[in-house]
Amino acid sequence: METVAVDRNAALVEELRGSGQIVSERVAAAFLAVPRHRFLPGVGLQDAYRNDSVFTKRGADGKPVSSVSAPWLVATMLERLAPRPGDRVLEVGSGGYNAALLRHMVGPEGAVTSQDIDAEVIARAAGCLADADVRDVRLVTGDGRFGVPEGAPYDRLIVTVQATHVEPAWLEQLTDEGRLVVPLRLRGLSRLLTFTREEGHWRGDGWEQCGFVRMRGEGVWGPMASAVLADGVRLRWDGGSPPDGAALTAAWNSERRELWSGVMVGVTEGTRPVLDLWLATMLDAFGRIHTAAGAPPGLPVLPGGSPATWSRESLAYLTMRPANADGTRFEYGVAWHGPHAALAEEFVSQLRVWDRDQRGGPGPSLIVFPEGSTEEPTVGRVLRRPGARMVLTWP
């Protein structure tokens, strides 16, 4: 069995190298040294070394509350974190596997602390680490929002649950040259960011799409809100003043019209993740429309949900149409319902501004100001959340 596990692990590492998720020899060496199946007891070897996440605990409502993340995402985060031999690392959100990889990377002179709010998760991680013969990871049960002051300052801090803001304690417990890697939910968009310190603030970049179980504990920003517009059609948004659900349902049931932008994209360009961030920055009301089984056929809602905006009686959302006969190019446009044409016109104008000024550029940054900072916010979208002040800004 162990020989088969070694072979499957080696094949997984080669897959991750080929896809570009593993770049450095140090990350590759950690993956090869740590047997993933030891952290997934009861899971067969084929599934243990599949490039996918495995849920390890669910709540009373059946929703996942703990997992071992997909190897591609684990590798991406480790490449971003870049732990060095001798580093002190704090992991918020435990599972055991990632802590073992970190322990290998920091070496005997380094130290790894892994924290989780759930004592059962910590106990499971302890058992898995012992089974993998990794015996020098410090495990702490506690609310990840507050970090682990005993052991700070840390050279690296990695968060392996979905957060909705940057906690002041994380920044306070990092060294001046420290690095923070955290998956954040910003206006309903889940993105992986890497933060480094600049004079007076921290700057976050990266923006890979990702999915994690939500952070738990008191003071955590709540789940996304939603309103049903029709059978199988739902508007979801993340904080802010709620729309008038009845008015938007009435708008949805009115005539659908379309306004086209002239912005063309190739089918393989992958512009959506950056464009969604642009719209989330520039549109005052922002959410996404999702369809499910039971939705009427022929709706121009995009896979993964269409970015949307609304006024009291009108609703507008991103759509696309073929721009050539072979289906390799598409045009972005806006579908809209209700009496306010200006809503769709403003939406289309933002598509054109993105195309003219930002397309192909470096993308946005998330500027985070520590508590007590007197620095004025950079021009951009101020994200009003508890904790450190955050501003989403573009060059």
Side-chain angles (χ1 to χ4, degrees), residues 66-344:
S66 186
S67 71
V68 173
S69 296
W72 72 265
L73 185 51
V74 174
T76 298
M77 295 181 78
L78 290 177
E79 292 284 2
R80 293 273 213 93
L81 191 70
R84 304 158 300 184
D87 274 351
R88 301 172 66 86
V89 182
L90 173 61
E91 176 192 36
V92 173
S94 191
Y97 179 57
N98 195 61
L101 293 168
L102 289 166
R103 194 70 198 83
H104 184 275
M105 294 185 73
V106 301
E109 301 303 317
V112 175
T113 300
S114 185
Q115 177 188 39
D116 201 279
I117 197 170
D118 191 327
E120 185 177 296
V121 170
I122 286 291
R124 181 187 179 283
C128 292
L129 286 163
D131 188 50
D133 199 28
V134 180
R135 303 185 183 278
D136 50 358
V137 170
R138 181 187 181 202
L139 295 171
V140 177
T141 302
D143 191 333
R145 292 177 54 230
F146 305 108
V148 183
E150 304 82 7
Y154 301 99
D155 303 289
R156 299 288 189 266
L157 199 157
I158 184 169
V159 181
T160 60
V161 288
Q162 185 190 71
T164 55
H165 51 274
V166 175
E167 296 292 347
W170 299 343
L171 305 181
E172 292 164 2
Q173 291 174 27
L174 276 167
T175 65
D176 287 346
E177 293 75 34
R179 181 172 297 187
L180 166 67
V181 175
V182 55
L184 284 176
R185 191 185 86 210
L186 303 170
R187 303 207 87 191
L189 304 176
S190 295
R191 297 291 191 269
L192 181 64
L193 286 102
T194 303
F195 289 91
T196 53
R197 190 189 298 269
E198 296 183 346
E199 187 174 352
H201 60 260
W202 293 72
R203 178 181 295 273
D205 296 294
W207 301 103
E208 282 96 348
Q209 293 178 284
C210 61
F212 281 86
V213 298
R214 290 198 307 116
M215 196 167 184
R216 293 184 284 165
E218 293 184 10
V220 171
W221 189 264
M224 292 180 63
S226 65
V228 175
L229 302 177
D231 289 343
V233 182
R234 184 180 295 270
L235 172 66
R236 303 184 72 205
W237 67 94
D238 189 12
S241 300
D244 186 327
L248 292 190
T249 298
W252 179 265
N253 291 318
S254 67
E255 179 186 3
R256 183 182 79 216
R257 287 160 285 187
E258 294 172 343
L259 186 61
W260 296 97
S261 67
V263 177
M264 305 295 177
V265 292
V267 69
T268 61
E269 282 188 59
T271 57
R272 272 289 308 283
V274 178
L275 176 58
D276 286 4
L277 284 165
W278 174 259
L279 296 172
T281 308
M282 299 301 163
L283 299 175
D284 287 337
F286 179 82
R288 285 189 291 175
I289 293 177
H290 296 264
T291 57
L299 291 177
V301 176
L302 301 180
S306 283
T309 190
W310 56 87
S311 59
R312 176 172 171 76
E313 298 175 314
S314 297
L315 179 69
Y317 53 98
L318 186 69
T319 190
M320 300 172 75
R321 67 179 178 184
N324 59 6
D326 61 6
T328 59
R329 290 187 65 76
F330 290 82
E331 180 183 5
Y332 281 129
V334 174
W336 62 288
H337 307 253
H340 301 144
L343 187 70

Side-chain angles (χ1 to χ4, degrees), residues 9-33:
N9 197 12
L12 174 62
V13 170
E14 287 308 305
E15 179 185 345
L16 296 172
R17 285 184 190 271
S19 60
Q21 268 93 32
I22 287 183
V23 177
S24 66
E25 289 302 319
R26 296 190 63 248
V27 171
F31 266 75
L32 290 171

